[in-house]
Amino acid sequence: MTTPFPFTAVVGQDDLRLALLLNAVSPAVGGVLVRGEKGTAKSTAVRALSALLPAVAVVPGCRFSCDPAAPDPACPDGPHEPGGGTDRPARMVELPVGASEDRLVGALDIERALAEGVKAFEPGLLADAHRGILYVDEVNLLHDHLVDLLLDAAAMGASYVEREGVSVRHAARFLLVGTMNPEEGELRPQLLDRFGLTVEVAASREPEQRVEVVRRRLAYDDDPDGFAARWAAEEAAVRQRIVAARRLLPEVRLGDGALRQIATTCAAFEVDGMRADIVMARTATALAAWAGRTDVLAEDVRQAALLALPHRRRRNPFDAPGLDEDKLDDTLEQYAGDDDGGEDDPDPDGPGGGGGGPRPDDGPQGGGDTAARPEAGEGGEPQASGAREQAAAPAAEPFRTKALSVPGIGEGAAGRRSRARTEHGRTTGARRPRGTLTKLHLAATVQAAAPHQRARGRSGPGLVIRRDDLRQATREGREGNLVLFVVDASGSMAARQRMGAVKGAVLSLLLDAYQRRDKVGLVTFRGAAAEVALPPTSSVDAAAARLGSLPTGGRTPLAAGLLRAHEVLRVERLRDPARRALVVVVTDGRATGGPEPVVQAGRAARLFAADGVASVVVDCESGPVRLGLAGQLAGELGGTAVTLDGLRADSIAGLVRDVQGTQRTPGRAA
């Protein structure tokens, strides 16, 4: 087994280390979500934490890690008599993003059920993680069906399995730790709220600190055991401090003054529900215990707010996380009680003792709205490539859009947009397995084997099953698609009010793509050429930022935009052939510049029709006289056209329900 990198050898990352240590002191805090760029020791720090956790007393032979002092009366391996436990190290169980549902919650032991006629339950990762750590690397990429199961277990502290004639319930209380790179997409709000604390991490810009990071990493790679031995004393000190803080925790007093500060802070930052108040109270109490105190100070409440509130104040995926620290200080000062008024630093020197947290002006996680930044440049009209362009217009308020989907049934990654054959969802039938059997259709398998039992000489309670009897369950759910936006940023779209409406529509579609777990891409065209403003990605934040800073002006190279989009799709099909695409062209349909621009645009559009790519043209033409060019373009694409107003879910136009419903009448515009 590989020796883990020592926790105390991690350079910097004070907030990350502090958040992890607070959860080690008080698992009731609710876990940690670590957000940050790649290569910032997120996974290294999390994996190193398990070595610091105290040993866990368990009932011998229990697969569900029951506490011998208070065994679970409903344990599937029970009943257990109190007392007589054994100690084992605390577990850290990793949940891969591609894990199956059965691997997470457990399932019927099919082999014993068919061969012996016995209902036997095989525990999953939730059982392994009970009273330990459940770690999900790249948690934002976790499939929705696994997220749903995690939410259920985190809410109830237990896992319920009801499937294939098996009904099992077992305790599943674990410390949930997730790491993610925001560039690859955001978390669902429900799962985001389940993390007690969140920290933003970034690589240091100080050369000396970066040198020390490299020096320690190279030393560890050369001799992991020797490197760990050099940090053994520091590791032991932190381990003892965690044990001492756990003993002190029940004695920590959370006064009324601190409670008022917590409640006022949560109300001032308009967080939803009461979970934030509870998490802040538990975090402040853990901070006091970690510092060796029995009273919660104002500094503890402030630090708890910086760790517990940033991810809870987001209203949509385009809001930047973070807190206004001046507003936080003003709020805390208003309710500074006599019993909370110490001035001592809660932990000036200890591991992870640094304060801070995400600041509004610190880099990409700052508090500004990315879509509003271009406002600063509205006064001028800079020049680009010799063509006159206008400063970027702000986007209009987003709205709820009509559901657009790709026709037919796909087999792409799980999502919420188009129909697809998936590994989860409702069972629609059974078939012979092609290759490895992954989802057994039990009834169909028994039905296939039943007529042959006499011929096979069956004499016991179990069925005599052969490979030809096995049946794979076919299931239908929803998939995520690649939504590729092709946006006209030419001079014909340059009226600020008009472009603001266009950006608002695209922003609305981006929000819809976020909710449906799609990948998104952005191609823009203006002047003399087209460019890929954003290659296909799962981060709608990045797309919204590029859209917000999009300038306009110049001619309308429609053909160039379509050809560039076609090339993006060709490359993406090589990378992810199962993910189907939906192309959304946002234009008024005009084509100028170059020889025969209209003819060239028609030829480019017919490439999409020949490939069977689903497409929608958002008609941005305005004014009393309409040329209908967007509708003609939709006809060439083999798709449909919809006006900006018709795109709204509450629009009375109601023409576009989805791409499939309008394939019969291509080219119409609402």
Side-chain angles (χ1 to χ4, degrees):
M1 183 176 178
T2 304
T3 303
F5 192 91
F7 185 86
T8 51
V10 175
V11 179
Q13 308 297 10
D14 291 340
D15 287 339
L16 169 59
R17 293 191 293 145
L18 177 61
L20 292 171
L21 289 169
L22 292 177
N23 275 274
V25 171
S26 175
V29 167
V32 187
L33 174 65
V34 188
R35 296 163 46 93
E37 60 196 32
K38 53 187 176 292
T40 48
K42 301 188 297 294
S43 300
T44 299
V46 173
R47 292 190 174 100
L49 177 67
S50 60
L52 299 179
L53 297 180
V56 177
V58 298
V59 174
C62 178
R63 297 175 297 167
F64 301 89
S65 301
C66 280
D67 186 348
D72 182 3
C75 175
D77 284 355
H80 304 300
E81 294 295 330
T86 59
D87 290 346
R88 64 159 173 78
R91 289 176 181 163
M92 189 187 74
V93 177
E94 294 198 40
L95 171 59
V97 294
S100 67
E101 186 175 328
D102 291 346
R103 186 69 189 96
L104 179 62
V105 300
L108 176 69
D109 188 331
I110 298 295
E111 183 177 348
R112 291 190 62 191
L114 295 179
E116 303 174 24
V118 175
K119 289 184 179 179
F121 179 71
E122 187 69 26
L125 295 177
L126 290 180
D128 293 342
H130 179 49
R131 304 177 66 204
I133 301 173
L134 182 63
Y135 172 48
V136 190
D137 194 14
E138 306 295 350
V139 63
N140 51 324
L141 303 182
L142 199 64
H143 289 173
D144 276 353
H145 67 292
L146 298 181
V147 171
D148 294 338
L149 295 170
L150 273 183
L151 289 172
D152 289 343
M156 297 182 292
S159 175
Y160 291 84
V161 183
E162 301 281 350
R163 62 179 62 190
E164 297 158 343
V166 174
S167 180
V168 174
R169 175 256 178 219
H170 65 82
R173 292 183 296 276
F174 47 82
L175 179 62
L176 181 61
V177 180
T179 55
M180 60 174 284
N181 183 348
E183 295 176 355
E184 297 174 338
E186 286 292 344
L187 280 179
R188 281 171 51 184
Q190 298 93 333
L191 182 58
L192 186 65
D193 189 51
R194 281 292 168 187
F195 286 97
L197 309 179
T198 184
V199 290
E200 298 276 339
V201 297
S204 172
R205 299 298 183 259
E206 294 294 330
E208 289 302 319
Q209 195 171 73
R210 296 175 73 97
V211 166
E212 185 61 23
V213 170
V214 175
R215 182 181 292 119
R216 293 186 186 183
R217 185 69 214 191
L218 293 178
Y220 170 77
D221 290 341
D222 289 341
D223 183 10
D225 293 335
F227 184 81
R230 290 194 293 273
W231 289 88
E234 288 82 353
E235 294 281 286
V238 174
R239 192 178 299 111
Q240 293 171 4
R241 189 173 175 185
I242 291 173
V243 172
R246 282 191 173 188
R247 292 198 189 104
L248 184 62
L249 188 64
E251 302 176 20
V252 176
R253 188 177 71 93
L254 184 66
D256 290 342
L259 280 172
R260 283 194 298 271
Q261 287 182 318
I262 290 170
T264 305
T265 300
C266 292
F269 285 96
E270 300 180 347
V271 296
D272 295 330
M274 295 297 298
R275 184 172 287 117
D277 304 62
I278 296 171
V279 171
M280 272 191 66
R282 290 171 173 166
T283 305
T285 303
L287 279 162
W290 177 247
R293 289 185 274 100
T294 56
D295 287 316
V296 173
L297 305 181
E299 289 85 350
D300 300 326
V301 177
R302 185 182 191 278
Q303 182 68 69
L306 292 171
L307 293 172
L309 296 188
H311 61 301
R312 291 187 166 89
R313 59 165 291 274
R314 304 187 76 188
R315 285 295 180 267
N316 64 63
F318 308 131
D319 291 339
L323 289 182
D324 183 339
E325 294 196 34
D326 291 335
K327 179 179 177 180
L328 174 61
D329 291 335
D330 292 342
T331 303
L332 294 175
E333 288 176 6
Q334 291 177 13
Y335 287 87
D338 294 339
D339 56 344
D340 299 302
E343 293 295 329
D344 296 333
D345 189 321
D347 183 25
D349 300 318
R359 297 177 180 268
D361 55 352
D362 283 350
Q365 68 266 32
D369 186 347
T370 55
R373 290 176 190 164
E375 291 279 8
E378 286 186 15
E381 294 184 356
Q383 303 294 317
S385 302
R388 185 182 184 185
E389 71 176 31
Q390 297 184 5
E397 189 70 19
F399 52 84
R400 189 166 64 91
T401 66
K402 291 185 179 299
L404 305 175
S405 63
V406 178
I409 300 180
E411 295 182 346
R416 295 183 174 183
R417 184 173 295 278
S418 305
R419 294 174 59 197
R421 286 181 288 270
T422 60
E423 289 296 317
H424 49 89
R426 65 185 182 92
T427 301
T428 58
R431 60 173 173 81
R432 292 181 182 274
R434 305 186 191 102
T436 303
L437 177 71
T438 56
K439 292 288 183 180
L440 179 76
H441 194 297
L442 186 58
T445 299
V446 172
Q447 187 176 8
H452 309 292
Q453 296 305 296
R454 184 184 298 273
R456 294 173 183 174
R458 174 190 171 188
S459 58
L463 292 176
V464 180
I465 300 292
R466 295 182 179 170
R467 181 167 182 78
D468 290 344
D469 301 326
L470 299 178
R471 295 294 184 268
Q472 173 88 21
T474 57
R475 300 185 178 185
E476 183 175 310
R478 294 278 170 176
E479 67 177 0
N481 298 117
L482 167 60
V483 182
L484 182 61
F485 295 94
V486 186
V487 180
D488 184 350
S490 64
S492 64
M493 305 283 288
R496 292 187 65 77
Q497 184 176 3
R498 184 179 179 190
M499 196 60 195
V502 168
K503 287 186 176 182
V506 178
L507 199 64
S508 303
L509 291 166
L510 281 172
L511 182 59
D512 181 68
Y514 162 76
Q515 294 168 342
R516 298 182 187 277
R517 317 305 287 173
D518 295 317
K519 291 181 71 173
V520 296
L522 179 62
V523 173
T524 63
F525 57 95
R526 64 185 178 89
E531 66 172 344
V532 180
L534 183 71
T537 175
S538 296
S539 175
V540 294
D541 286 16
R546 302 292 174 87
L547 180 71
S549 59
L550 178 66
T552 57
R555 293 185 178 274
T556 312
L558 177 58
L562 295 174
L563 290 174
R564 181 59 63 91
H566 189 268
E567 176 63 16
V568 169
L569 293 183
R570 185 190 69 80
V571 174
E572 194 64 18
R573 273 195 296 269
L574 296 176
R575 295 174 178 168
D576 190 357
R579 188 181 291 269
R580 298 186 294 165
L582 174 63
V583 176
V584 180
V585 185
V586 185
T587 181
D588 56 10
R590 291 182 172 86
T592 60
E596 298 183 317
V598 177
V599 174
Q600 294 297 328
R603 290 175 179 170
R606 287 191 288 275
L607 293 175
F608 291 86
D611 291 343
V613 177
S615 59
V616 175
V617 178
V618 180
D619 185 358
C620 302
E621 191 173 25
S622 61
V625 179
R626 294 176 177 267
L627 302 178
L629 298 177
Q632 295 177 24
L633 175 63
E636 299 280 8
L637 287 166
T640 186
V642 57
T643 63
L644 287 174
D645 288 337
L647 191 61
R648 294 177 178 270
D650 56 357
S651 170
I652 61 173
L655 178 63
V656 178
R657 292 294 177 187
D658 56 34
V659 177
Q660 184 177 14
T662 54
Q663 288 290 321
R664 307 185 194 93
T665 56
R668 289 194 302 172

